[in-house]
Amino acid sequence: MEYRGVVDPAFAAAAEEFERNFTDRGEVGASLCVLVDGRPVVDLWGGVADPETGRQWERDTVGVVFSCTKAAVALCIQLLIASGEIREDLPVAQVWPQFAANGKGDITIGMLLDHSAGIPVLSEPLGSGMLEDWEYMVGRIADQAPFWRPGKRHGYHPVTFGFVLGEVVRRVTGSSIGGFFAAEIAGPQGLDFWIGLPQEIEPRIAPIVKGITGEVTTTPFLDAALHQRGSIPNLFVFNSGDWARKGVNTRAGRAAEIPAANGVTNGRGLAQMYANALLDPVVGGLGRLESAPAHSMPVSDGLDATLLMRTRFRGGFMLSMDNRAELGDGHSMRIGSQAFGHCGSGGSIGFADPELGLSVGYTMNKQGQGTLLNERGRALVDAIYRSLGQTVPSPPARRAPQLEQDQR
């Protein structure tokens, strides 16, 4: 397989694993970027962007990165917190009064950022194309009752995260989340990254390719999704609309703003966004400034009510998670002890490790199995740390289980 780009010789191991992803692990098209103190040490791309036409993956090829988009939303919120326009402890209902319905009046911005708000999914059935309809989605979320007492436990909010925080941005600034991100972060920083893709970028898109096949490991999440009707996992899998199946490769599905899921970028865009987050005190200086908003926010850590495994979140970002002992590969995101980032469905990842001045972005078009990093992303992350003379530590010992586990 021929790939292109540049690699610092010290990071040859990362390039080798990037190539092995194609030769041994079923990769179709992908990009990988690694920055150290803002300096590119790996910037690689290769493979096929569109298998139907044979179009090759180029330096400026971009694609949908699913939940890696949540990090862009988190940075928008951190920027508003840093400017004093909102606060972590601000109830959402103060800027969006309708949100207070059905016991949500005390849900704060911080609860959304750490996934403890209690509204991870919707109970009302979602029809075709509903994720692309902003007003419909925020209306349904405003009507939804919490699945647990807000703030008393946490569970991944796969879709609602973006709509609620996006509506906060809209009501505070007058701009949509995609417009705000473009004007305040992506545009000034020169990022190839959009939430709501402009028409002129469409020729650069790598369509999402059906996932790598193989034996599917049964997990508590999958078991509940398939067999516990009305449970949070079941609603996540079967009541999240049809965008991921039907809309992701359409013009309408990319033009819409689905800010928890349909950001479009590549490895370079992700890595640069995280590098700027480390270095820019206005955006938050998330790693190096002790006073930065996200640095001091509480950590949600323990059994996740949605994914039914240990997860860790702070300030809208995922922290290192190691579930190998309980679930095997595909359900962990092992990064540095102070690192923060986010995975995307199928195995993409962006993250920053402030202790090392490290920023990483990996995107691909062919989906893989697992809840977090599958073997392709894991091999790349491990190789990057080895290239820096580091081993990836396991996260801190799991905290005691939270007491309140009831669902409505």
Side-chain angles (χ1 to χ4, degrees), residues 141-177:
I141 293 169
D143 292 339
Q144 177 66 47
F147 281 78
W148 63 80
R149 188 187 305 173
K152 294 302 181 181
R153 66 175 306 188
H154 81 282
Y156 186 49
H157 288 46
V159 173
T160 55
F161 176 96
F163 282 109
V164 180
L165 291 174
E167 185 67 6
V168 168
V169 169
R170 185 172 75 146
R171 289 176 179 256
V172 170
T173 71
S175 174
S176 71
I177 183 69

Side-chain angles (χ1 to χ4, degrees), residues 118-303:
I119 48 170
V121 292
L122 294 176
S123 300
E124 180 179 320
L126 290 179
S128 178
M130 291 298 96
L131 261 63
E132 294 92 321
D133 186 333
W134 187 273
E135 296 299 338
Y136 176 87
M137 287 301 299
V138 297
R140 299 292 68 73
I141 293 169
D143 292 339
Q144 177 66 47
F147 281 78
W148 63 80
R149 188 187 305 173
K152 294 302 181 181
R153 66 175 306 188
H154 81 282
Y156 186 49
H157 288 46
V159 173
T160 55
F161 176 96
F163 282 109
V164 180
L165 291 174
E167 185 67 6
V168 168
V169 169
R170 185 172 75 146
R171 289 176 179 256
V172 170
T173 71
S175 174
S176 71
I177 183 69
F180 184 83
F181 178 66
E184 302 296 332
I185 296 178
Q189 295 177 8
L191 305 179
D192 268 1
F193 199 150
W194 300 268
I195 304 172
L197 189 69
Q199 174 67 49
E200 61 268 24
I201 309 300
E202 282 288 336
R204 295 163 51 187
I205 280 285
I208 296 299
V209 178
K210 186 177 179 180
I212 295 171
T213 59
E215 184 178 351
V216 177
T217 303
T218 300
T219 64
F221 167 77
L222 184 59
D223 183 67
L226 295 177
H227 302 118
Q228 296 179 25
R229 186 176 179 85
S231 68
I232 294 173
N234 174 263
L235 292 170
F236 173 18
V237 172
F238 295 105
N239 193 39
S240 291
D242 61 358
W243 172 81
R245 291 182 291 108
K246 296 182 178 180
V248 66
N249 283 335
T250 67
R251 169 63 194 146
R254 292 187 287 255
E257 295 186 15
I258 307 174
N262 84 330
V264 172
T265 187
N266 52 27
R268 190 179 310 105
L270 281 175
Q272 289 177 338
M273 182 182 75
Y274 279 100
N276 292 334
L278 285 179
L279 299 172
D280 187 345
V282 175
V283 174
L286 299 177
R288 293 180 175 173
L289 299 182
E290 290 293 329
S291 60
H295 188 93
S296 58
M297 286 183 174
V299 175
S300 290
D301 184 354
L303 179 65

Side-chain angles (χ1 to χ4, degrees), residues 215-406:
E215 184 178 351
V216 177
T217 303
T218 300
T219 64
F221 167 77
L222 184 59
D223 183 67
L226 295 177
H227 302 118
Q228 296 179 25
R229 186 176 179 85
S231 68
I232 294 173
N234 174 263
L235 292 170
F236 173 18
V237 172
F238 295 105
N239 193 39
S240 291
D242 61 358
W243 172 81
R245 291 182 291 108
K246 296 182 178 180
V248 66
N249 283 335
T250 67
R251 169 63 194 146
R254 292 187 287 255
E257 295 186 15
I258 307 174
N262 84 330
V264 172
T265 187
N266 52 27
R268 190 179 310 105
L270 281 175
Q272 289 177 338
M273 182 182 75
Y274 279 100
N276 292 334
L278 285 179
L279 299 172
D280 187 345
V282 175
V283 174
L286 299 177
R288 293 180 175 173
L289 299 182
E290 290 293 329
S291 60
H295 188 93
S296 58
M297 286 183 174
V299 175
S300 290
D301 184 354
L303 179 65
D304 188 296
T306 303
L307 300 178
L308 301 184
M309 66 183 194
R310 184 193 184 185
T311 59
R312 304 174 69 235
F313 299 96
R314 183 179 66 191
F317 299 94
M318 288 180 168
L319 305 180
S320 185
M321 311 177 204
D322 189 353
N323 293 301
R324 292 173 298 168
E326 297 86 0
L327 302 174
D329 277 343
H331 308 284
S332 299
M333 188 180 84
R334 294 176 60 247
I335 54 180
S337 60
Q338 299 301 312
F340 59 94
H342 219 289
C343 287
S345 176
S348 55
I349 185 174
F351 72 94
D353 191 326
E355 291 187 320
L356 301 172
L358 174 68
S359 304
V360 176
Y362 161 64
T363 71
M364 72 291 154
N365 53 5
K366 190 165 188 177
Q367 299 290 278
Q369 293 188 19
T371 314
L372 299 175
L373 281 188
N374 55 55
E375 62 176 354
R376 293 170 296 167
R378 175 178 51 77
L380 295 172
V381 171
D382 288 352
I384 291 163
Y385 275 97
R386 289 199 309 273
S387 297
L388 289 164
Q390 305 285 323
T391 57
V392 185
S394 292
R398 181 173 173 174
R399 295 177 179 177
Q402 294 168 304
L403 295 178
E404 187 163 330
Q405 302 289 336
D406 293 334

